[in-house]
Amino acid sequence: MSAPQQQQSQQQQQQHVRVVEQQQVEPAEAVTSSMESESISASKELTGLTHECGVFGAIACGDWPTQMDIAHVICLGLVALQHRGQESAGIATSEGKCSKNFNVHKGMGMISTLFNDDSMKKLRGNLGIGHTRYSTAGGSGVVNCQPFVVHTTHGALALAHNGELVNNESLRREVLARGVGLSTHSDSELIAQSLCCAPEDVSELDGPNWPARIRHFMMLAPLSYSLVIMLKDKIYAVRDTYGNRPLCIGKIVPINAGHGNNSDTPADGWVVSSESCGFLSIGARYVREVEPGESVRRSCREVATATVDIVERPDFKRMAFCIFEYVYFARGDSIFEGQMVYTVRLQCGRQLWREAPVEADIVSSVPESGTAAAHGYARESGIEFAEVLCRNRYVGRTFIQPSTRLRQLGVAKKFGALSENVDGKRLVLIDDSIVRGNTIGPIIKLMRDASAREVHIRIASPPLQYPCYMGINIPTREELIANKLNPDQLARHVGADSLAYLSVEGLVEAVQLKHRDAGDSKSKATGHCTACLTGEYPGGLPDELSW
């Protein structure tokens, strides 16, 4: 094939890909890609590794047009969830009138680079959903950007998904057996195509029974997902029966509404989000979590958010909310299970002092997710808290960058030492977790170079020893440093005077303390997934599952 012919063939293939992806979506669909994300995705291979994401949905009360700019509300909501994923993002909106077309803009990169005035103007609508994504090997690419839009005989459906289907292979076989083609390896496409197929035992003479379709999917796939699903004029929020991934509801109140209890205040709109941390910035108030197994519906004309179904998990199975959300992923001002993440991290620090005390002059943290635990450690021990690290806020989080080399390079650029606070001091340095062990060694060296007399490391979570199959990037046991070295060996390896972890029991105690102290009956109903710490998976290993 000649060079011009080859170029023409490539252009035709690219055009075909765009047509398949867009189908009947309006021209607001756009895909942008930075040079960095292109180079990352080009080096990846398909390995089925998991990812961590954030989902967000918003709907205004009343018919289009309203005074609320839903696209901007969603964009700000995604900015608040940016810590959950930085590789791609997207927004889909609907005016609530036409079931055939959604306005969609998505692509590779950060939210601040993806969305500008021109793209936001095209995202007209009275309701919409958004997604921000972190993907690992094999999952990074434009084709996997969300929200995922499919077209059914009943109109368009858009879906955004946080989590990982543990039994995705068996579900994929079932969907393919129905004659449905799948163009990606994305769980989100798999879920969307599953919802497009009506259950055999459900009559739909009067139109699609979406609650029944959602229930059918949830019976097939108990783990692990939080979903926001958009149809022409309504949004569904769905959480798996184990409650493994977070999802909560917020109420957009008028600008002149007072603070405190807004239960009687008329709503301007409603939002649903992986975390509540962005609610105040968009004028919303936290209402509650979507319960495990619950499907919630909201339309423009409904007065309140309605529970349309609850799928129960087996009686012998407990709730399995990911405990690592408290440890690392969530922002400190988010609310899970009726308590603020910051408060739990503070309690982890208190518990860590009780389990692993040490004589020292100052307590400090590896910013920022270790800071709350460091304050708790300092308060419980009576040792002064002082900052010792100055963070460069323009370098990304090292745990979720795609390659070891980037992580190691990131450490060198990430921190500076406040040497006057360190010189001649015995230092206790608190971090939230140790994963691969690449970060803590260079930080200890930085403290030594700043003339610290002793450096004691305390980790406000148990050692990570097992991979996660439910949406967290903890890929293999071989990469986890806790499987190679015990605490004493690791201390010598990284150059610390001592090193200790919080116990699994201590972490669970810190997470459940508020409910237990209050005598809350909810503490009996709660349960947490500690699979990455204990190897006890709530549904078993993927290749052992038979749902």
Side-chain angles (χ1 to χ4, degrees):
M1 184 181 292
S2 66
Q5 289 175 326
Q6 186 174 10
Q7 183 178 6
Q8 181 179 5
S9 175
Q10 291 174 347
Q11 291 174 346
Q12 290 173 344
Q13 290 176 0
Q14 292 170 356
Q15 182 179 9
H16 175 69
V17 169
R18 288 196 296 269
V19 171
V20 169
E21 183 183 0
Q22 290 184 349
Q23 296 182 7
Q24 299 178 31
V25 176
E26 287 190 346
E29 171 81 33
V31 175
T32 59
S33 178
S34 66
M35 292 179 63
E36 180 181 1
S37 61
E38 285 178 347
S39 64
I40 291 172
S41 61
S43 65
K44 293 181 177 180
E45 297 176 4
L46 184 62
T47 63
L49 300 181
T50 56
H51 57 271
E52 175 72 6
C53 307
V55 299
F56 194 91
I59 185 166
C61 293
D63 295 329
W64 168 266
T66 64
Q67 293 182 344
M68 185 174 300
D69 191 332
I70 283 295
H72 278 88
V73 169
I74 297 171
C75 189
L76 289 174
L78 293 179
V79 168
L81 297 177
Q82 185 78 86
H83 59 281
R84 299 185 71 87
Q86 296 94 42
E87 284 198 8
S88 67
I91 294 175
T93 63
S94 169
E95 296 175 18
K97 298 177 181 179
C98 179
S99 62
K100 293 183 179 180
N101 298 315
F102 290 159
N103 306 308
V104 184
H105 185 86
K106 58 183 178 178
M108 305 298 294
M110 302 281 279
I111 294 160
S112 59
T113 61
L114 275 174
F115 298 99
N116 54 34
D117 288 341
D118 290 337
S119 61
M120 296 300 288
K121 288 177 183 177
K122 297 175 183 177
L123 291 171
R124 303 177 305 276
N126 218 27
L127 65 157
I129 63 174
H131 187 268
T132 183
R133 185 170 191 260
Y134 165 70
S135 62
T136 56
S140 181
V142 170
V143 71
N144 288 318
C145 294
Q146 298 184 43
F148 202 90
V149 179
V150 296
H151 293 266
T152 75
T153 56
H154 305 289
L157 177 150
L159 179 141
H161 165 228
N162 170 215
E164 192 85 2
L165 296 182
V166 181
N167 64 328
N168 61 350
E169 288 303 318
S170 62
L171 188 60
R172 183 176 294 273
R173 287 193 297 269
E174 177 169 326
V175 170
L176 292 173
R178 295 181 181 180
V180 177
L182 297 171
S183 59
T184 74
H185 290 271
S186 166
D187 279 354
S188 304
E189 182 191 18
L190 186 58
I191 296 169
Q193 295 292 3
S194 298
L195 293 172
C196 290
C197 300
E200 295 179 358
D201 58 343
V202 175
S203 174
E204 295 192 335
L205 297 177
D206 298 325
N209 187 336
W210 292 110
R213 293 184 182 208
I214 292 170
R215 167 176 273 271
H216 178 67
F217 163 74
M218 295 178 74
M219 297 298 291
L220 293 174
L223 279 166
S224 159
Y225 49 86
S226 286
L227 309 174
V228 286
I229 304 164
M230 183 176 69
L231 304 172
K232 177 185 73 172
D233 59 354
K234 58 178 65 72
I235 289 176
Y236 287 91
V238 183
R239 194 176 179 198
D240 71 57
T241 56
Y242 289 80
N244 185 252
R245 304 258 61 86
L247 196 62
C248 63
I249 300 168
K251 176 182 179 181
I252 301 177
V253 298
I255 295 176
N256 58 0
H259 299 286
N261 186 359
N262 296 108
S263 58
D264 298 328
T265 304
D268 284 345
W270 296 85
V271 291
V272 60
S273 176
S274 294
E275 297 182 39
S276 62
C277 53
F279 284 0
L280 291 178
S281 65
I282 58 172
R285 303 290 184 266
Y286 175 85
V287 175
R288 67 176 180 89
E289 290 181 292
V290 177
E291 295 296 328
E294 184 182 16
S295 300
V296 175
R297 182 188 64 218
R298 176 69 203 175
S299 73
C300 298
R301 298 176 185 86
E302 290 176 322
V303 177
T305 301
T307 298
V308 295
D309 198 4
I310 295 181
V311 178
E312 302 288 347
R313 63 182 173 273
D315 291 338
F316 60 91
K317 293 290 189 178
R318 296 196 64 183
M319 180 179 171
F321 178 59
C322 175
I323 207 165
F324 215 60
E325 291 281 355
Y326 284 111
V327 171
Y328 183 86
F329 280 107
R331 221 170 76 173
D333 53 340
S334 289
I335 298 172
F336 296 143
E337 302 175 308
Q339 57 189 345
M340 192 164 284
V341 171
Y342 181 90
T343 304
V344 173
R345 291 175 179 167
L346 194 74
Q347 186 59 35
C348 286
R350 292 183 180 274
Q351 183 66 24
L352 185 58
W353 160 257
R354 299 181 194 121
E355 294 184 6
V358 64
E359 292 186 5
D361 301 310
I362 57 172
V363 175
S364 194
S365 67
V366 178
E368 294 173 353
S369 49
T371 302
H375 279 291
Y377 194 97
R379 293 179 191 180
E380 192 71 12
S381 65
I383 303 172
E384 176 190 2
F385 176 88
E387 294 184 16
V388 299
L389 290 169
C390 184
R391 179 169 182 164
N392 179 355
R393 299 180 185 276
Y394 300 96
V395 178
R397 300 174 79 175
T398 58
F399 173 60
I400 57 177
Q401 288 177 341
S403 72
T404 299
R405 179 176 177 273
L406 287 177
R407 281 188 291 272
Q408 291 172 334
L409 288 175
V411 170
K413 298 181 293 183
K414 199 170 185 178
F415 296 111
L418 299 174
S419 55
E420 289 185 359
N421 291 351
V422 177
D423 190 7
K425 301 289 181 62
R426 298 171 299 171
L427 166 66
V428 182
L429 195 61
I430 311 293
D431 203 356
D432 57 359
S433 58
I434 293 182
V435 184
R436 298 172 179 88
N438 294 327
T439 304
I440 198 68
I443 290 175
I444 294 171
K445 183 179 185 302
L446 194 64
M447 296 295 96
R448 300 287 191 194
D449 291 345
S451 301
R453 181 149 57 105
E454 297 176 9
V455 181
H456 301 273
I457 301 299
R458 294 294 180 267
I459 307 301
S461 65
L464 282 163
Q465 296 180 291
Y466 299 90
C468 175
Y469 304 106
M470 290 164 286
I472 305 296
N473 180 35
I474 308 174
T476 64
R477 294 198 67 183
E478 290 73 21
E479 286 189 83
L480 300 174
I481 195 70
N483 291 323
K484 302 175 183 178
L485 305 172
N486 64 35
D488 291 338
Q489 292 170 331
L490 182 55
R492 290 193 294 272
H493 176 72
V494 298
D497 292 278
S498 70
L499 185 147
Y501 296 93
L502 182 64
S503 66
V504 174
E505 296 77 15
L507 175 59
V508 173
E509 170 81 16
V511 169
Q512 297 184 350
L513 181 67
K514 178 181 177 180
H515 297 300
R516 193 160 40 248
D517 286 351
D520 192 345
S521 60
K522 186 174 181 179
S523 64
K524 299 178 181 178
T526 59
H528 298 91
C529 177
T530 59
C532 58
L533 312 174
T534 63
E536 299 173 3
Y537 295 90
L541 293 171
D543 56 351
E544 296 175 354
L545 295 176
S546 56
W547 297 111

